[in-house]
Amino acid sequence: MLATLVLIVAGAYTALSVAADTPSYTGQSTELTRLDNGLLIQGGDLHSPDRYTSGFRLTAGFTPAGLPSLDLGAELSYRESDDVPFSGGRQMLIDTTSLGGSLIAGVRLGDVGLYAKSGLAGWEDETVTGNAATSDGGTTRVEGFGARWQFSRLISQIEYERFDDPTLSHLNLVTASVHMPF
């Protein structure tokens, strides 16, 4: 459903879109390499505002030749969280580790980019303090969407990302940034 909506919007606004070198889903990631076939590989560190979580994110994506306003990509992310308060029926502190992958589709409308992502994350947790004596883990869905606006060199972005498991609720984030690379 979401991918269909992105394709409809991309088709309707192709004439208004300006093809740029920067995909709609690019945030503050560092460009690692750009291949001759147009594939762009980016990476960056992840840090949650509450300082429980750190990790990294790698993104590979391209813009199809016939659709200059459409961006397609894939994301790989690794996150480690230490001493996260969790009250799933009992108070405890847990450490979690997750490895996830998502597919990303975005559309550029002039200086504005809209994107959505959907994927899976495998995770494990370990109880640091509390009543649980065994580790737990599993697989959960990851969903997100965002918007990016670029005016000259000023870039602003807002993103929402949700993990569909209560143990990973500390990874659900709404982030916003404004930055000017130099």
Side-chain angles (χ1 to χ4, degrees):
M1 170 79 178
L2 189 55
T4 305
L5 179 63
V6 169
L7 289 175
I8 290 171
V9 170
Y13 290 99
T14 300
L16 298 175
S17 178
V18 177
D21 291 338
T22 307
S24 56
Y25 49 78
T26 299
Q28 296 182 33
S29 300
T30 302
E31 183 174 319
L32 300 175
T33 189
R34 185 180 297 264
L35 303 178
D36 292 337
N37 64 1
L39 183 68
L40 175 64
I41 300 174
Q42 299 174 313
D45 292 333
L46 293 174
H47 299 283
S48 65
D50 59 13
R51 306 210 186 231
Y52 290 125
T53 305
S54 62
F56 66 87
R57 176 183 294 171
L58 289 174
T59 307
F62 69 100
T63 299
L67 298 168
S69 62
L70 182 65
D71 298 313
L72 301 174
E75 175 182 279
L76 175 71
S77 62
Y78 173 80
R79 293 175 172 92
E80 273 188 30
S81 304
D82 294 324
D83 298 334
V84 178
F86 181 71
S87 62
R90 54 194 180 267
Q91 290 287 10
M92 64 179 132
L93 293 177
I94 61 171
D95 292 344
T96 63
T97 303
S98 69
L99 178 64
S102 298
L103 296 176
I104 305 170
V107 63
R108 281 176 275 143
L109 309 169
D111 294 330
V112 176
L114 304 172
Y115 62 94
K117 62 181 164 182
S118 181
L120 294 172
W123 61 275
E124 292 183 355
D125 74 6
E126 182 179 325
T127 304
V128 177
T129 63
N131 297 333
T134 62
S135 294
D136 201 7
T139 304
T140 189
R141 272 191 352 229
V142 179
E143 301 167 329
F145 59 88
R148 179 179 187 275
W149 178 66
Q150 183 169 350
F151 179 73
S152 187
R153 292 182 46 161
L154 183 68
I155 301 169
S156 59
Q157 183 169 6
I158 186 165
E159 180 175 282
Y160 170 73
E161 190 171 34
R162 180 180 175 276
F163 288 75
D164 193 28
D165 191 289
T167 305
L168 300 179
S169 64
H170 63 283
L171 298 178
N172 296 340
L173 291 177
V174 175
T175 56
S177 66
V178 176
H179 64 281
M180 180 180 284
F182 52 93

